[in-house]
Amino acid sequence: MTDISSRNPDWWRQAVVYQVYPRSFADADGDGLGDLPGVTDRLPHLAALGVDALWLSPFYPSELADGGYDVADHRDVDPRLGTLADFDALAAEAHRLGLKVIVDLVPNHTSHQHPWFQEALAARPGSPARDRYVFREGRGAHGELPPTDWQSVFGGSAWERVPDGQWYLHLFARQQPDLNWDHEEVREDFRTTLRFWSDRGVDGFRVDVAHALAKDLTEPLRDLGAPDLSGEQALARLPHGTHPFYDRDEVHEIYRDWRRVLDAYSPPRTAVAEAWVPGARRTLYARPDELNQAFNFEYLQAPWDADALRRVIADSLATARAAGASATWVLSNHDVVRHPSRLMLPPGTDENTWLLSGGSAPAVDEAHGLRRARAATLLMLALPGSSYVYQGEELGLPEVAGLPVEVLQDPLWEQSGRVRKGRDGCRVPLPWTTTGPSYGFGAAGAWLPQPASFARYAVEAQDGVAGSTLELYRTALRLRRKLLDGEELTWQQDTPPGVLAFARSDGWRCVTNLSDAPVPLPPGEVLLSSAPPDGDGPGRPGPLLPDTTVWLA
């Protein structure tokens, strides 16, 4: 059995990590916004669920220009979410319950409200204060054109002009100026930040946009030549390591430096990279002298197809093995359409178009989506490596695609000229009870409106109910701890078309039917089935129905 105790420095290799988006998890003070005391109050839910760690998305001071990823102070708590004392209480209670704590680190940029950037704006061009960021003169006769054709992830130019005529770089929102990681003061400040949270008992870090810190800032700055080369898709069209601001080889010097800081603690602090890079490049971030792990987004983006999933799983395991790391698996997070809805969209569906239709074109069969999501979950939890679970997955929450545009908070909506609806639909606050102004999220309403359908997904509606999605997760995580042994799997070769099957090192098996027809149930004792109670259940003979996963002894 895998040891995930505090004594094991490798606890992260096969852990289940639960992502908490604090503003949408639980509201202790009734102001409609989730907060750290709310998280602390609900930690028993995570302990009972059976996860090994919680990952806190940003809780730092922020004006919420990008959902908290515009950080004004990397070593404090947003007053609307609590205090440092509240964080310490959260960490202490989590550790008492046997849960590790991972915090989000946002090193690529700060908020424009950060004292450093305010100092830079007040300083003259060429000043040391501006050198912490990326300021440049514009092009054109009067400097009226951006320095390059680089584009923001949120749409439009990645450059913003300031009153004295210079421009600053922001790969995301204009309120998120990029830091200059060639500057030693920037590097030292983040070493201080790593120590600050590690000294407060944090067990690890999730590194936001880990592939973007190092940039080629040699003059003249390089144009990319076409807007479509400015995003992650450019990485496939340029020689590895040569993009001017994504996945440059120099970024690994930064993480080797961080590893020396993290290894100074006992046990060493862990880290996982959010690096949107091809699999072969992902190994570089997850090497033992860098960040331990890197998120595997190929798995999240894979279609519901047996052959495609098998290729992604095999490639991901090989990639992790080459790095000396363990694989990571994720189905949903704060940036993507929740998988009970996403997995039901026909191949080729444009997700933004679907969101703009309010989830009606095409319509998604919610019950069928939940069935498929449950099957996907049991498949994911059976794989070697770490599983990252997004809050509300354990309830089977679908995407809230029908949010009216007047309540949207994601800057994608405005910055795209109101053509990209954004990520609010997966960030709607959780339902804890079947009644109340915010279904138990807080004493009053919630910062994003919850649909009436949330009542039937609430924790209160599922707790102790046989066959509920909540109880499926609890049972699966309890069994997983008993069954996990080693980090290998063996593919079963004699499977019907559309069926994915593998055995783990101690002989237990996972079988998923992704086809449209029932298939014979393989021999063996059914330990757990993803099917709801009206389908094939544990111990029942008969075929393995479509969109069903079973674990077999």
Side-chain angles (χ1 to χ4, degrees), residues 142-326:
H142 306 286
E144 71 277 9
L145 300 176
T148 68
D149 64 359
W150 301 351
Q151 298 291 295
S152 163
V153 171
F154 292 154
S157 174
W159 297 93
E160 181 76 9
R161 201 175 193 190
V162 299
D164 60 35
Q166 279 203 317
W167 299 72
Y168 68 85
L169 179 66
H170 60 92
L171 293 183
F172 291 84
R174 63 177 177 80
Q175 298 93 337
Q176 294 169 289
D178 279 44
L179 287 164
N180 173 17
W181 273 88
D182 289 338
H183 198 298
E184 177 54 32
E185 192 174 353
V186 171
R187 296 191 180 213
E188 181 57 30
D189 190 71
F190 273 88
R191 294 184 198 111
T192 300
T193 296
L194 290 170
R195 294 186 184 103
F196 179 87
W197 294 110
S198 296
D199 289 344
R200 300 189 98 90
V202 162
D203 301 285
F205 299 88
R206 178 264 189 185
V207 184
D208 185 60
V209 198
H211 59 300
L213 275 58
K215 299 174 176 69
D216 180 6
L217 299 178
T218 55
E219 296 290 351
L221 298 180
R222 288 186 288 141
D223 278 336
L224 283 164
D228 69 338
L229 281 178
S230 295
E232 284 83 3
Q233 64 267 40
L235 297 175
R237 298 175 59 183
L238 294 173
H240 289 319
T242 67
H243 192 286
F245 51 83
Y246 281 148
D247 192 35
R248 294 190 59 79
D249 292 335
E250 302 94 311
V251 78
H252 300 289
E253 176 193 343
I254 297 169
Y255 298 133
R256 284 191 290 272
D257 180 56
W258 286 15
R259 176 45 54 195
R260 289 189 286 273
V261 174
L262 300 176
D263 280 351
Y265 291 85
S266 181
R269 299 327 192 216
T270 189
V272 57
E274 183 206 26
W276 288 87
V277 298
R281 295 288 291 182
R282 193 169 61 241
T283 62
L284 304 178
Y285 295 82
R287 290 177 290 190
D289 63 344
E290 293 197 29
L291 296 179
N292 295 128
Q293 289 184 321
F295 280 131
N296 170 13
F297 294 114
E298 286 94 338
Y299 184 74
L300 183 151
Q301 295 170 328
W304 188 244
D305 174 83
D307 292 337
L309 278 170
R310 178 167 173 162
R311 284 193 300 271
V312 167
I313 291 168
D315 289 348
S316 300
L317 290 172
T319 296
R321 193 178 304 113
S326 60

Side-chain angles (χ1 to χ4, degrees), residues 104-125:
D104 227 309
L105 194 64
V106 187
N108 179 68
H109 45 260
T110 71
S111 166
H112 68 153
Q113 295 181 337
H114 191 285
W116 275 3
F117 194 72
Q118 290 299 305
E119 181 185 355
L121 290 179
R124 66 186 185 280

Side-chain angles (χ1 to χ4, degrees), residues 65-103:
D66 183 21
Y69 284 86
D70 48 314
V71 178
D73 186 340
H74 291 84
R75 298 190 288 271
D76 203 353
V77 175
D78 191 309
R80 292 166 293 182
L81 273 66
T83 63
L84 281 171
D86 291 327
F87 176 85
D88 292 340
L90 187 161
E93 179 64 5
H95 290 148
R96 187 188 72 80
L97 293 170
L99 299 167
K100 307 289 189 183
V101 178
I102 296 170
V103 299

Side-chain angles (χ1 to χ4, degrees), residues 197-503:
W197 294 110
S198 296
D199 289 344
R200 300 189 98 90
V202 162
D203 301 285
F205 299 88
R206 178 264 189 185
V207 184
D208 185 60
V209 198
H211 59 300
L213 275 58
K215 299 174 176 69
D216 180 6
L217 299 178
T218 55
E219 296 290 351
L221 298 180
R222 288 186 288 141
D223 278 336
L224 283 164
D228 69 338
L229 281 178
S230 295
E232 284 83 3
Q233 64 267 40
L235 297 175
R237 298 175 59 183
L238 294 173
H240 289 319
T242 67
H243 192 286
F245 51 83
Y246 281 148
D247 192 35
R248 294 190 59 79
D249 292 335
E250 302 94 311
V251 78
H252 300 289
E253 176 193 343
I254 297 169
Y255 298 133
R256 284 191 290 272
D257 180 56
W258 286 15
R259 176 45 54 195
R260 289 189 286 273
V261 174
L262 300 176
D263 280 351
Y265 291 85
S266 181
R269 299 327 192 216
T270 189
V272 57
E274 183 206 26
W276 288 87
V277 298
R281 295 288 291 182
R282 193 169 61 241
T283 62
L284 304 178
Y285 295 82
R287 290 177 290 190
D289 63 344
E290 293 197 29
L291 296 179
N292 295 128
Q293 289 184 321
F295 280 131
N296 170 13
F297 294 114
E298 286 94 338
Y299 184 74
L300 183 151
Q301 295 170 328
W304 188 244
D305 174 83
D307 292 337
L309 278 170
R310 178 167 173 162
R311 284 193 300 271
V312 167
I313 291 168
D315 289 348
S316 300
L317 290 172
T319 296
R321 193 178 304 113
S326 60
T328 62
W329 313 105
V330 60
L331 287 166
S332 287
N333 62 37
H334 64 292
D335 282 334
V336 301
V337 172
R338 285 185 176 273
H339 66 276
S341 301
R342 188 183 72 248
L343 291 175
M344 289 304 300
L345 295 176
T349 299
D350 182 86
E351 291 180 9
N352 182 61
T353 301
W354 178 74
L355 289 171
L356 288 171
S357 77
S360 63
V364 169
D365 182 332
E366 207 167 286
H368 192 178
L370 179 57
R371 181 186 181 94
R372 185 169 286 182
R374 289 163 60 109
T377 292
L378 282 201
L379 170 59
M380 176 182 76
L381 293 176
L383 294 168
S386 297
S387 294
Y388 286 77
V389 174
Y390 180 51
Q391 64 179 42
E393 275 189 46
E394 77 278 19
L395 306 178
L397 290 183
E399 183 79 0
V400 184
L403 288 172
V405 296
E406 60 268 19
V407 306
L408 298 181
Q409 305 287 322
D410 193 333
L412 274 171
W413 174 242
E414 293 293 343
Q415 293 194 32
S416 67
R418 299 192 171 190
V419 297
R420 295 172 64 190
K421 196 169 184 182
R423 302 157 293 181
D424 289 316
C426 66
R427 301 176 179 183
V428 174
L430 297 191
W432 295 91
T433 62
T434 58
T435 58
S438 60
Y439 301 105
F441 169 69
W447 68 281
L448 282 172
Q450 303 149 300
S453 61
F454 264 32
R456 66 174 178 268
Y457 290 101
V459 173
E460 183 182 53
Q462 299 191 48
D463 186 26
V465 177
S468 70
T469 302
L470 176 58
E471 293 302 333
L472 175 71
Y473 270 75
R474 287 172 174 170
T475 303
L477 293 178
R478 184 170 61 249
L479 272 174
R480 186 180 186 272
R481 287 197 179 193
K482 295 178 180 178
L483 294 171
L484 283 189
D485 184 19
E487 296 182 17
E488 302 294 329
L489 62 74
T490 302
W491 293 105
Q492 305 293 293
Q493 303 299 331
D494 54 346
T495 57
V499 173
L500 200 64
F502 56 84

